[in-house]
Amino acid sequence: MFGLFKKFKDGLAKTVSAIAAKTRGLFGGRKIDAASLEELEEALYTADFGVETTNEILAEIKQAYGKDKELQGRQAAHLGAAVLKRVLAGSEGVLEGVTGPVRPVAGAAAPAAKNPVVIAMIGVNGSGKTTTSAKLAWKLKQDGKTVTLAACDTFRAAAVEQLKSWATRLELDIVASHTGADSASVAFDAWQAAKSRGKDYLIVDTAGRLHTKSNLMEELAKIRRVLQKNDPAAPQHRWLVVDGSLGSNSIEQARVFHQSFGLTGLVVTKLDGTSRGGALVGIYRQLKLPIYFLGLGEQPEDLQPFSADNYAKAVFGLD
Ligand SMILES: Nc1nc2c(ncn2[C@@H]2O[C@H](COP(=O)(O)OP(=O)(O)OP(=O)(O)O)[C@@H](O)[C@H]2O)c(=O)[nH]1
Ligand SMILES: [Mg+2]
């Protein structure tokens, strides 16, 4: 648990230091006063927590300060973290086998005809889909699961190579075709391969697309329809991979993807590279989609299951 929390703390360091820089060590031991409340408000805006969440955090701390003029910064930090956890209630996506229950007992008869659970990664260009697909496949493998990757970004030259090179590096199973191939038929073939190889998961990496381009959004729908020929339930997971450094600008984009594709969850990437790590709270508030993973760096182990508790504590410098 400690290791996991450290990942959150390190990964959110830029957001945390943006807050610390504005609050002059408030959470390190100062007493609360009118000036520090203003500093905190500004810091929360800067970190992109948004009006609603910022107001709720401040209201809670002001109320406590109204009752106790000796209120310490550290107590305020606990109050702030509690508000975040309350706002984020229900936000933790749990992918079975990664953060929770698991593999049948060795020797027990496995269901012969099980279908792979399909996770489709979708999102705008450069949000982190390919990297997340590879990292997640690696994580599942570490967890004792079997996985096939489907290289369905046949659009951009080098996209297939990018996923293949991750697969080689991390020794992952992959189904790929050539640039320009029909992405839906790659998805179909990959599903068949995953099924015949008895894999637990199929992770489908798709091409980046702008939510405003209807022909490209239609291509996603086609991937889904074709997968459904194999299994009407597929793809069980339809995750929007959101670039966390874009802050709250991602909300509108997420809404459009959700409308046209029926998202089931989110992955927020690149949080290690931004001081706007508060944005995921606004994204969750607006969409109420569970957040499955956070991208907290470029290494495979930097993809971490989302924990509201660790996130809230990291933001307020608690441990
Ligand atoms: N620091 C950091 N970089 C990341 C993270 N996730 C992805 N990246 C980087 O972001 C860049 C884009 O990632 P990709 O996985 O290629 O993004 P994509 O969504 O597949 O891009 P397209 O296929 O072009 O739409 C790469 O340089 C990644 O290494 C993260 O969590 N932290
Ligand atoms: Mg990609």
Side-chain angles (χ1 to χ4, degrees):
M1 196 57 186
F2 178 74
L4 200 92
F5 177 62
K6 186 169 182 318
K7 282 268 176 220
F8 268 70
K9 230 168 110 178
D10 294 349
L12 290 165
K14 287 200 176 154
T15 298
V16 175
S17 62
I19 294 174
K22 288 222 158 48
T23 55
R24 289 186 291 130
L26 176 63
F27 302 138
R30 264 169 78 201
K31 250 175 45 178
I32 290 284
D33 55 30
S36 60
L37 283 169
E38 261 178 49
E39 289 164 12
L40 179 59
E41 181 170 12
E42 199 189 326
L44 293 172
Y45 279 124
T46 307
D48 224 347
F49 280 93
V51 184
E52 246 182 322
T53 305
T54 300
N55 286 346
E56 282 175 30
I57 291 170
L58 281 166
E60 191 96 356
I61 297 174
K62 279 181 183 163
Q63 197 192 26
Y65 177 60
K67 289 188 197 143
D68 174 11
K69 295 290 177 204
E70 295 302 307
L71 189 75
Q72 298 295 311
R74 198 161 173 82
Q75 292 169 289
H78 279 282
L79 292 171
V83 172
L84 275 189
K85 277 179 65 178
R86 192 173 70 219
V87 169
L88 289 168
S91 64
E92 293 175 4
V94 177
L95 183 63
E96 194 176 301
V98 178
T99 45
V102 270
R103 226 165 153 66
V105 185
K114 83 177 156 83
N115 283 339
V117 171
V118 183
I119 303 169
M121 301 288 181
I122 66 182
V124 299
N125 307 76
S127 64
K129 297 171 292 299
T130 304
T131 315
T132 300
S133 299
K135 286 172 173 172
L136 178 61
W138 181 81
K139 191 167 203 69
L140 287 163
K141 201 176 143 195
Q142 297 297 105
D143 207 47
K145 296 284 173 181
T146 55
V147 189
T148 295
L149 284 165
C152 291
D153 180 357
T154 52
F155 208 71
R156 184 168 60 82
V160 174
E161 286 313 313
Q162 186 192 356
L163 194 62
K164 271 189 181 165
S165 82
W166 273 104
T168 307
R169 188 177 138 202
L170 302 175
E171 297 180 16
L172 305 166
D173 186 44
I174 182 168
V175 172
S177 185
H178 54 91
T179 304
D182 176 27
S183 57
S185 63
V186 177
F188 185 88
D189 292 348
W191 191 96
Q192 295 273 330
K195 166 92 180 179
S196 72
R197 296 168 194 170
K199 302 291 185 183
D200 299 317
Y201 291 94
L202 174 67
I203 300 177
V204 179
D205 179 32
T206 67
R209 66 202 72 229
L210 269 180
H211 52 295
T212 46
K213 292 268 180 347
S214 60
N215 55 331
L216 296 179
M217 294 301 271
E218 172 49 31
E219 190 202 47
L220 275 183
K222 186 176 165 197
I223 291 177
R224 186 176 181 182
R225 279 198 304 276
V226 167
L227 281 167
Q228 284 171 337
K229 289 186 188 164
N230 285 316
D231 178 354
Q236 289 86 344
H237 298 279
R238 300 176 293 279
W239 293 352
L240 186 71
V241 180
V242 178
D243 179 343
S245 66
L246 298 179
S248 48
N249 297 335
S250 308
I251 294 174
E252 186 49 32
Q253 161 204 121
R255 195 176 281 130
V256 178
F257 272 104
H258 194 27
Q259 271 162 10
S260 39
F261 205 61
L263 301 174
T264 62
L266 302 169
V267 175
V268 185
T269 63
K270 307 190 198 179
L271 285 167
D272 53 306
T274 181
S275 57
R276 303 169 78 190
L280 74 81
V281 181
I283 296 175
Y284 175 70
R285 290 189 87 127
Q286 294 290 319
L287 301 163
K288 283 286 184 289
L289 284 166
I291 302 166
Y292 279 84
F293 291 94
L294 299 186
L296 299 170
E298 299 206 68
Q299 298 307 312
E301 63 274 17
D302 295 333
L303 184 74
Q304 290 293 327
F306 177 60
S307 153
D309 189 43
N310 283 341
Y311 172 81
K313 284 196 300 198
V315 162
F316 283 99
L318 300 167
D319 48 38

